[in-house]
Amino acid sequence: MTTGSSEIEHGFPHLDTVRAAVHALFTRLSYDTVSTFATSVLPVDVAFDESEDLHLGAQRVARALVRQLHLPDARMVITFREMEHAANVELTAGPEYFIELNDRFTKHRKDIGAALAHEVMHICLHRLDLSFPGTRDNEILTDTATTYLGAGWLLLDAYREHGPFSQKLGYLTPEEFGYVLAKRARFFDEDPAPWFTSPQAYDAYMAGAERAGRDLRRPPLAGAGWAARLRYAKDRRAAQGQTGRPAAAGDAYAFEGPSPLRVSFPCPACHQRIRVPVRGRLQARCTLCKTLLDCDT
């Protein structure tokens, strides 16, 4: 979706849906399959020279994204026309798919890769039979999957705010794109920062990375801050029957018992629920994404 500067939303209003989308991706694909997306699409593969033929260049970029998203038998037919949104794809049985791009991309070719990435992911999710109910949540799933599987940095880099020439592609806020990208960067040990050409995109990535870092500092993870640890200890005593007060409903963790007392919490990488005994320092491995977590329960 293309928006003007006055319409660009910021912050993390869709964070619950984004986390659900990351979890759904791991659940549907499995750790082994997600691991095959360890390398993002490279800038050189989606660069668009102004001297290059428009339609041949668009086909070349589409093929690069098809390879990135593991759709080797999919063929894209790309056209340009005047339309409200950035792009649209006709979801059929394939292997040939028709993608329409807003004709403004004929003059802003550097963003063609971003628009195509979102639409090719629609095809990928269609083939996987993975969707969320409702248009809004399904589009958030598409943006999240595009980013986590290595093509969504293009969508974030297409975000620019320059008065009347501002734009943002996709349904996630810039900071939410940064959040998912930071999750991917940590999981695959990949640094996307050098790829950004938009200063605002880089700032949004850093804001998202800071928010993603908070997921690593929540009890019972060992990296939690002292204030969170104090609250966790108070809730743990309540769960053990010493004060009679249960853990607050909004907490990410929840105690289960009474004996032997256990605590459940979301994996900071894939948001799978993890349950461990309450017995001090221990390590837990997420069964879904295989992340090893240091805990202090």
Side-chain angles (χ1 to χ4, degrees), residues 47-162:
F48 209 124
D49 191 281
E50 289 297 324
S51 64
E52 187 173 8
D53 180 85
L54 176 64
H55 291 88
L56 292 178
Q59 292 291 157
R60 175 185 56 79
V61 172
R63 287 194 297 270
L65 292 165
V66 164
R67 291 193 300 270
Q68 172 65 35
L69 299 175
H70 299 185
L71 293 170
D73 61 338
R75 298 189 301 273
M76 306 298 153
V77 178
I78 302 167
T79 59
F80 296 82
R81 71 173 178 87
E82 184 177 351
M83 56 194 300
E84 178 183 359
H85 298 301
N88 182 61
V89 62
E90 181 182 344
L91 295 176
T92 62
E96 193 168 69
Y97 298 90
F98 295 86
I99 297 178
E100 296 177 315
L101 297 183
N102 192 305
D103 61 4
R104 76 177 189 83
F105 288 118
T106 61
K107 297 181 179 179
H108 299 279
R109 299 183 179 190
K110 72 183 298 292
D111 296 325
I112 285 177
L116 286 174
H118 181 93
E119 302 309 317
V120 174
M121 179 51 70
H122 268 304
I123 296 169
C124 184
L125 295 175
H126 175 69
R127 287 189 168 195
L128 290 170
D129 193 26
L130 177 58
S131 64
F132 280 177
T135 299
R136 169 189 168 276
D137 286 1
N138 202 53
E139 293 289 353
I140 290 172
L141 168 64
T142 304
D143 280 342
T144 302
T146 308
T147 305
Y148 206 92
L149 297 185
W153 68 266
L154 289 163
L155 283 159
L156 178 54
D157 196 41
Y159 157 59
R160 292 180 287 275
E161 289 203 54
H162 301 297

Side-chain angles (χ1 to χ4, degrees), residues 15-284:
L15 202 54
D16 287 345
T17 308
V18 168
R19 288 169 172 165
V22 173
H23 182 258
L25 202 60
F26 271 95
T27 301
R28 181 66 181 84
L29 292 181
S30 82
Y31 164 80
D32 290 336
T33 301
V34 171
S35 296
T36 65
F37 292 85
T39 302
S40 291
V41 64
L42 297 175
V44 67
D45 294 329
V46 291
F48 209 124
D49 191 281
E50 289 297 324
S51 64
E52 187 173 8
D53 180 85
L54 176 64
H55 291 88
L56 292 178
Q59 292 291 157
R60 175 185 56 79
V61 172
R63 287 194 297 270
L65 292 165
V66 164
R67 291 193 300 270
Q68 172 65 35
L69 299 175
H70 299 185
L71 293 170
D73 61 338
R75 298 189 301 273
M76 306 298 153
V77 178
I78 302 167
T79 59
F80 296 82
R81 71 173 178 87
E82 184 177 351
M83 56 194 300
E84 178 183 359
H85 298 301
N88 182 61
V89 62
E90 181 182 344
L91 295 176
T92 62
E96 193 168 69
Y97 298 90
F98 295 86
I99 297 178
E100 296 177 315
L101 297 183
N102 192 305
D103 61 4
R104 76 177 189 83
F105 288 118
T106 61
K107 297 181 179 179
H108 299 279
R109 299 183 179 190
K110 72 183 298 292
D111 296 325
I112 285 177
L116 286 174
H118 181 93
E119 302 309 317
V120 174
M121 179 51 70
H122 268 304
I123 296 169
C124 184
L125 295 175
H126 175 69
R127 287 189 168 195
L128 290 170
D129 193 26
L130 177 58
S131 64
F132 280 177
T135 299
R136 169 189 168 276
D137 286 1
N138 202 53
E139 293 289 353
I140 290 172
L141 168 64
T142 304
D143 280 342
T144 302
T146 308
T147 305
Y148 206 92
L149 297 185
W153 68 266
L154 289 163
L155 283 159
L156 178 54
D157 196 41
Y159 157 59
R160 292 180 287 275
E161 289 203 54
H162 301 297
F165 302 104
S166 298
Q167 73 166 11
K168 181 186 75 70
L169 301 183
Y171 283 68
L172 297 184
T173 69
E175 294 78 13
E176 288 168 339
F177 273 118
Y179 175 87
V180 181
L181 197 54
K183 292 275 188 179
R184 173 186 165 79
R186 181 175 181 83
F187 190 80
F188 291 111
D189 192 24
E190 179 185 68
D191 182 13
W195 303 335
F196 292 121
T197 62
S198 164
Q200 292 93 349
Y202 176 79
D203 291 343
Y205 170 62
M206 296 306 295
E210 192 283 328
R211 186 64 184 83
R214 295 187 204 173
D215 292 351
L216 300 168
R217 300 190 296 271
R218 298 186 302 189
L221 297 175
W226 67 270
R229 293 294 310 168
L230 286 175
R231 187 179 64 176
Y232 175 83
K234 187 175 184 181
D235 290 335
R236 181 178 57 199
R237 287 194 299 271
Q240 291 169 333
Q242 296 180 9
T243 65
R245 187 180 70 86
D251 286 349
Y253 56 82
F255 291 101
E256 303 171 5
S259 180
L261 190 64
R262 300 171 70 84
V263 62
S264 67
F265 61 97
C267 171
C270 71
H271 307 285
Q272 170 84 344
R273 203 75 188 173
I274 298 172
R275 289 173 177 79
V276 295
V278 175
R279 65 180 189 203
R281 294 298 293 259
L282 56 84
Q283 286 189 322

